[in-house]
Amino acid sequence: MNKKSIFSALIAIVILASCGKKQEQAPAQGPAPFPVQTVAKQDAVVYQEYTANLEGQQNVEIRPKVNGFIQKIYVDEGQVVKKGQLLFKLETQTQNQDASAAQANVKAAQVEVDRLKPLVDRKIISEVQLETAKAKLAQAKSAYGAIAANIGFGTITSPVNGVIGSLPFREGSLVSSTNEMPLTTVSDTKIVRAYFSMNEKQLLFFNKTFKGETTAAKLKAAPEVSLLLVDGSEYDQKGKIATMNGLVNPTTGTTQFRAEFKNPEGILRSGSSGIIRLPIEQKDVMLVPQNAIFEVQGKQTLYVVEKGNKVKSRIVTTSGTSELNFIVTDGLQEGEVVVIEGASKLKDDMEIVPQDAKKAPAETTAPIAKDSAKTNTTPAKK
C-alpha cells in the first residue's frame, strides 16, 4: 500500500470517529411543554353592538317665512347660539313700501268712519253705511298687520339653544320659503340621540330577555348602554334606551330604537355615527381563548389533554368570536384541559408537558350568527 492510500484511510477513520461523537452527544428529545387551561363555567356579559346615527335632541331647520335678499348673516358655522339670538336679516324694503300703502288705507278708512258717525247720529244716513265703513276699516287694519308681520319675519332669530350647522347661502342671496335648502340648522346637542335598528331575530331576543308586559316596561328593564366612537374609544357617559318603534318595517324587516346620551362637553355632534353596545348577562358559559381554537375544513377545532398527557383534537361549537375568547356551547365539558397556544405544532396522540397558564381577564365579541349586529363578551364580576 502506498503512502497516498494510507493517508486517505486515516482521514476516513477520523471523519467516522467525529460523526460517532456527535451522535453520542445529541440528547434524546422528550415531550415539549405547552400552556394549557382548565375549562370552567363562569358568568359573562355579552355586548350586542349596533351601528347608530347620532342627532341632537332638537335639529331645527331655519327657513325664511318671506321672500327677500339676505342683508346680513350674524353667525358662523359651528357657532354656539342661544335661544332668541339674531341669526339673519333679510332686506324688507319692498315690504316697507307695502306697509306704507296699507297704513294709508287704514287712515283713509278711519276718516270715512269718523265722517259717517255723526251723520248716523243725526239720522241723516242709515246705520248700514257706517257699518260698511267700519268693515272696510277692519279689513285695512288686517292687511296692514299682515304686512307688518312680514317685515318682522325679515329678522330671523334662533328658536332654541344649539350649534349652527352649514350656511349654504351668502349675503346678497335671494331666498324664499319655497327654497329646498334651509338657511341653516340649529342643533341642540345637550342631549344626543343615537338611532339604531334591530332585525326581527334580534328584536325577538330583546323581548324575551327583558321582561315586561309593555314596551315601556321592557325598556325600563334594559340596562344602560355604552357608545363606541369612530376612533374606537368608549364615550365616558352611559346612555339609556328611551324608545322602541312599535312596528317592524316591512321593507327592511327592522325596528328602530333610540338611545339618549348626555353631552355636557360637546364631544358628540349631530350627524356623526357610532356603535351602541347593549350588555346582556349570561350565566354559566365556558370561555376558551381564541388562540386555542383553529379551523379544519370549516369546523372549529381544539386540542384536549387526555390520559398520559396525550392530546386529542376535538370539534367544538361556539356562539361567537372575540379578541381573546370564544364562548363554547358544545363539544367541551367543564373540568377538561385544553391547549391554548401552539396548536399548529400538535397532532393527535402527541404527548406534551402541560403548563398551567395564568388566566387573564378577557373581553370577547360574540355576534349572533348571520345578524348584522356584533356582540362582545366580557366575564362578569362575581
Side-chain angles (χ1 to χ4, degrees):
M1 183 179 294
N2 56 29
K3 294 181 178 180
K4 186 175 182 180
S5 298
I6 294 172
F7 181 73
S8 299
L10 290 173
I11 292 176
I13 293 171
V14 171
I15 292 174
L16 290 172
S18 63
C19 290
K21 289 181 178 179
K22 289 183 178 179
Q23 291 178 356
E24 292 176 0
Q25 292 173 357
Q29 291 185 351
F34 284 85
V36 298
Q37 178 176 307
T38 301
V39 178
K41 289 187 176 181
Q42 57 184 298
D43 295 345
V45 175
V46 177
Y47 288 96
Q48 293 185 352
E49 298 184 348
Y50 306 91
T51 302
N53 297 318
L54 307 184
E55 293 183 8
Q57 185 177 15
Q58 286 183 298
N59 286 335
V60 182
E61 292 185 346
I62 307 300
R63 295 181 178 274
K65 292 184 177 180
V66 294
N67 302 340
F69 293 95
I70 298 179
Q71 192 173 62
K72 183 70 176 177
I73 300 176
Y74 294 93
V75 291
D76 203 353
E77 296 174 343
Q79 181 177 337
V80 177
V81 296
K82 299 292 185 181
K83 182 178 180 180
Q85 183 173 337
L86 183 61
L87 304 180
F88 301 92
K89 177 67 176 177
L90 302 185
E91 179 272 324
T92 57
Q93 184 176 356
T94 303
Q95 283 85 359
N96 288 336
Q97 294 173 353
D98 293 341
S100 298
Q103 191 174 22
N105 290 336
V106 171
K107 291 181 179 180
Q110 184 66 56
V111 169
E112 181 66 9
V113 169
D114 294 342
R115 186 183 70 84
L116 295 178
K117 188 175 182 180
L119 296 178
V120 172
D121 293 340
R122 288 181 288 177
K123 297 182 180 181
I124 298 175
I125 61 175
S126 68
E127 191 172 350
V128 174
Q129 290 178 284
L130 178 60
E131 293 301 322
T132 301
K134 288 181 178 181
K136 290 182 178 180
L137 174 61
Q139 184 177 12
K141 288 181 177 181
S142 177
Y144 174 73
I147 296 174
N150 285 339
I151 294 175
F153 292 147
T155 301
I156 302 174
T157 59
S158 176
V160 295
N161 298 331
V163 180
I164 296 293
S166 62
L167 297 171
F169 299 99
R170 297 292 179 262
E171 292 181 1
S173 299
L174 177 63
V175 295
S176 70
S177 57
T178 59
N179 282 131
E180 182 178 351
M181 290 188 299
L183 296 177
T184 190
T185 301
V186 180
S187 179
D188 182 359
T189 57
K190 286 185 178 179
I191 300 293
V192 171
R193 294 174 171 177
Y195 292 90
F196 62 98
S197 298
M198 291 186 187
N199 60 33
E200 292 184 67
K201 183 178 179 181
Q202 295 161 351
L203 178 62
L204 181 60
F205 179 80
F206 181 91
N207 288 331
K208 286 182 176 180
T209 301
F210 303 111
K211 306 301 180 182
E213 295 182 357
T214 64
T215 298
K218 291 182 182 295
L219 294 178
K220 186 176 181 181
E224 290 183 323
V225 296
S226 55
L227 176 66
L228 293 183
L229 305 179
V230 292
D231 62 353
S233 64
E234 183 174 322
Y235 184 53
D236 60 1
Q237 298 278 342
K238 295 293 184 181
K240 184 69 177 175
I241 300 179
T243 62
M244 174 177 66
N245 195 318
L247 300 176
V248 176
N249 188 317
T251 304
T252 62
T254 60
T255 296
Q256 190 177 66
F257 287 71
R258 188 186 80 217
E260 296 185 350
F261 295 85
K262 293 181 179 180
N263 190 30
E265 298 181 4
I267 295 176
L268 305 180
R269 289 295 177 125
S270 185
S272 57
S273 61
I275 296 177
I276 292 293
R277 304 182 76 206
L278 172 63
I280 298 175
E281 187 174 355
Q282 290 191 351
K283 300 289 186 179
D284 295 332
V285 295
M286 291 185 290
L287 301 182
V288 174
Q290 183 176 351
N291 289 338
I293 297 180
F294 57 96
E295 285 196 6
V296 176
Q297 298 180 347
K299 295 183 178 180
Q300 293 177 306
T301 309
L302 51 68
Y303 280 104
V304 179
V305 181
E306 297 185 343
K307 291 181 180 181
N309 292 332
K310 292 183 178 181
V311 296
K312 194 75 172 180
S313 61
R314 183 88 60 83
I315 295 175
V316 296
T317 303
T318 68
S319 63
T321 60
S322 73
E323 295 178 0
L324 298 176
N325 289 340
F326 282 97
I327 297 181
V328 178
T329 57
D330 190 30
L332 273 181
Q333 298 295 327
E334 186 177 11
E336 290 190 298
V337 179
V338 297
V339 180
I340 63 173
E341 287 185 17
S344 61
K345 302 176 183 179
L346 299 175
K347 59 183 179 180
D348 283 347
D349 298 322
M350 179 176 172
E351 185 178 349
I352 67 168
V353 178
Q355 289 185 338
D356 290 336
K358 185 178 180 181
K359 191 175 180 182
E363 182 172 311
T364 64
T365 303
I368 297 176
K370 299 182 180 180
D371 287 346
S372 60
K374 299 179 180 178
T375 309
N376 290 338
T377 308
T378 301
K381 296 180 180 179
K382 293 187 177 181

